[in-house]
Amino acid sequence: MTTQPDPGGHFGPYGGRYVPEVLMAPVEELEHAYLEARDDPAFQAELADLLHNYAGRPTPLYYAKRLSESLGGARIWLKREDLLHTGAHKINNSLGQALLARRMGKRRIIAETGAGQHGVATAAACALLGIECVVYMGEEDMRRQRPNVFRMRMLGARVQGVANGSATLKDAISEAMRDWVTNVADTYYLLGSALGAHPYPMMVRDFHRVIGEEARRQILEAEGRLPDTAIACVGGGSNAIGLFHAFLNDASVQLVGVEAGGRGDKVGDHAARYRGGAPGVLQGAYSFVLQDEHGQIALTHSVSAGLDYAMIGPEHAWLRDQSRAEYTAASDAEALAAARRLSRTEGILPALESAHAVSEAIRRAPAAKGKIFIVNLSGRGDKDVDIYRENFPELDQK
């Protein structure tokens, strides 16, 4: 399979650049700067050094022995992105883009965040490089993710609450784009997922490719063969495309993305784009979007703030059209149950986003005797303790 977008930034029909005229020159400038940096050995060496010595790569590929044995089927391996500095895979992309911003001479970085992990990673990268940082975050997500709001502020970032719409990730992205339009001369927009106008989907994917490249080497060393299935949660889709990319040309490896099934099948009760979505444009790109019959973007819901978004990244939409990847969904209840089970069997508290992927592995494993699964454990659950407390009140007794 080809793994690069066309010159216009399209993966098949998806992707492209749907931005105001005032942003067309900045995104073209960004593409030029990124392509130069991608081919610059000095840039890549500095990024590799930071990923190793600052972020903590490579992350382990861990055999979840007790979880696997309790299910009686597949052997489940966890790619431990939760062990990275700041607690999730997001630091891979934040470091890469922050270095690019510095290279471009930008003195101010803005970002959006849902679960807060991208905001924390961006705040850390900006503190490291001495760059001003502003993070836009929906007020509902600020309520759900209070520890991460504090962490961002502790790292020196200004967290700007967004009350518009559903006060979640979509609205935070809209406000960040408004800021960028107003301050484009000195401001770099550090987008946190494989979304938005070209070159962001390609660029974010490239900064996360290290996940799959490491996992591929590690599973060959540990098992002597490739996995049968690679599973990752999908909001915008950065951690998933980072895992999937190294296996795209391995036809024997099934790729499974897990969306947020929420609390029901009714539009507005979930964030599963393949349950009622349709192709459309949102925030810079053409992809699969939850929307009504008039093309208005639908409200979404997920217990996990990081999956609570109306559009899937364009490369994922193309992979689904090509039947190269499958996209399913796990409900809030299933994700919560999976988090509890992983905590009890392996002593690992996952992020709620990652718990969606764990849930899918738990569902499939019993019927997959002798198979090998890799699950991308994209983040740790410290940030979600308040939500876990709300949903497991019996564990919070005095």
Side-chain angles (χ1 to χ4, degrees):
M1 295 184 69
T2 178
T3 60
Q4 296 299 332
D6 70 17
H10 296 93
F11 297 92
Y14 305 108
R17 283 188 180 128
Y18 296 83
V19 296
E21 188 64 29
V22 69
L23 287 180
M24 191 59 74
V27 296
E28 290 174 351
E29 177 194 19
L30 174 61
E31 179 187 14
H32 178 73
Y34 172 64
L35 293 177
E36 280 193 346
R38 189 175 67 180
D39 295 334
D40 182 351
F43 178 90
Q44 294 298 332
E46 184 175 11
L47 176 58
D49 178 74
L50 288 174
L51 288 174
H52 177 65
N53 292 305
Y54 181 73
R57 302 210 72 92
T59 59
L61 186 67
Y62 167 73
Y63 175 50
K65 183 172 185 291
R66 291 194 66 233
L67 178 65
S68 299
E69 289 177 348
S70 73
L71 295 166
R75 292 170 58 82
I76 299 172
W77 291 80
L78 304 177
K79 183 56 174 161
R80 297 292 308 276
E81 296 297 287
D82 60 309
L83 295 179
L84 285 171
H85 176 50
T86 71
H89 71 291
K90 295 293 189 179
I91 192 70
N92 304 321
N93 172 60
S94 292
L95 285 172
Q97 287 201 59
L99 288 174
L100 184 60
R102 187 186 67 183
R103 181 186 178 99
M104 294 174 69
K106 302 296 184 181
R107 301 184 299 276
R108 178 175 178 267
I109 284 178
I110 58 173
E112 84 300 324
T113 197
Q117 289 302 120
H118 172 59
V120 170
T122 300
C126 287
L128 178 69
L129 299 179
I131 300 174
E132 180 186 353
C133 181
V134 179
V135 179
Y136 287 90
M137 190 173 191
E139 290 184 354
E140 170 62 14
D141 289 339
M142 291 178 73
R143 182 194 67 80
R144 293 193 286 185
Q145 303 286 288
R146 286 180 299 172
N148 274 346
V149 174
F150 182 83
R151 291 171 75 197
M152 285 182 269
R153 290 171 174 160
M154 188 73 177
L155 290 162
R158 177 164 67 87
V159 182
Q160 182 65 51
V162 179
N164 301 336
S166 59
T168 57
L169 181 58
K170 173 179 69 69
D171 312 292
I173 293 176
S174 294
E175 287 301 312
M177 291 186 73
R178 289 188 187 99
D179 183 318
W180 194 23
V181 167
T182 305
N183 301 288
V184 71
D186 69 346
T187 295
Y188 182 99
Y189 180 19
L190 205 163
L191 185 60
S193 196
L195 299 164
H198 178 66
Y200 282 107
M202 172 184 72
M203 183 168 62
V204 174
R205 178 204 67 194
D206 287 352
F207 286 134
H208 284 304
R209 282 171 53 181
V210 64
I211 301 170
E213 290 167 355
E214 286 179 6
R216 198 177 194 280
R217 291 194 299 269
Q218 290 165 328
I219 198 68
L220 286 171
E221 181 178 347
E223 293 277 12
R225 68 177 183 90
L226 294 175
D228 298 285
T229 306
I231 304 172
C233 65
V234 180
S238 62
N239 91 91
I241 203 66
L243 177 65
F244 293 173
H245 202 262
F247 300 104
L248 284 183
N249 289 313
D250 299 303
S252 65
V253 181
Q254 182 182 30
L255 307 176
V256 181
V258 187
E259 299 184 286
R263 60 195 169 211
D265 290 335
K266 179 182 172 184
V267 173
D269 285 344
H270 62 80
R273 283 60 56 101
Y274 294 113
R275 289 184 183 175
V281 173
L282 177 62
Q283 294 170 331
Y286 178 77
S287 189
F288 229 77
V289 185
L290 282 169
Q291 55 189 300
D292 66 20
E293 65 272 20
H294 305 295
Q296 296 299 305
I297 305 304
L299 294 176
T300 56
H301 163 79
S302 173
V303 71
S304 58
L307 303 185
D308 199 353
Y309 187 62
M311 188 174 84
I312 195 168
E315 189 167 6
H316 285 291
W318 179 73
L319 290 176
R320 182 179 182 270
D321 278 8
Q322 297 296 303
S323 299
R324 182 60 193 94
E326 172 188 353
Y327 295 86
T328 184
S331 69
D332 288 352
E334 289 168 334
L336 287 162
R340 190 165 185 169
R341 184 164 190 167
L342 185 65
S343 299
R344 297 292 176 86
T345 56
E346 298 294 341
I348 298 171
L349 179 64
L352 274 164
E353 292 77 16
S354 311
H356 286 69
V358 175
S359 172
E360 185 66 15
I362 289 170
R363 187 181 71 81
R364 291 171 180 252
K369 189 76 172 178
K371 301 292 187 181
I372 297 171
F373 290 0
I374 292 178
V375 177
N376 199 17
L377 203 69
S378 55
R380 61 176 176 252
D382 309 41
K383 69 182 180 62
D384 294 316
V385 166
D386 285 346
I387 301 175
Y388 286 133
R389 290 175 66 191
E390 290 173 10
N391 285 276
F392 300 127
E394 69 279 8
L395 303 180
D396 199 29
Q397 301 298 317
K398 292 184 179 179

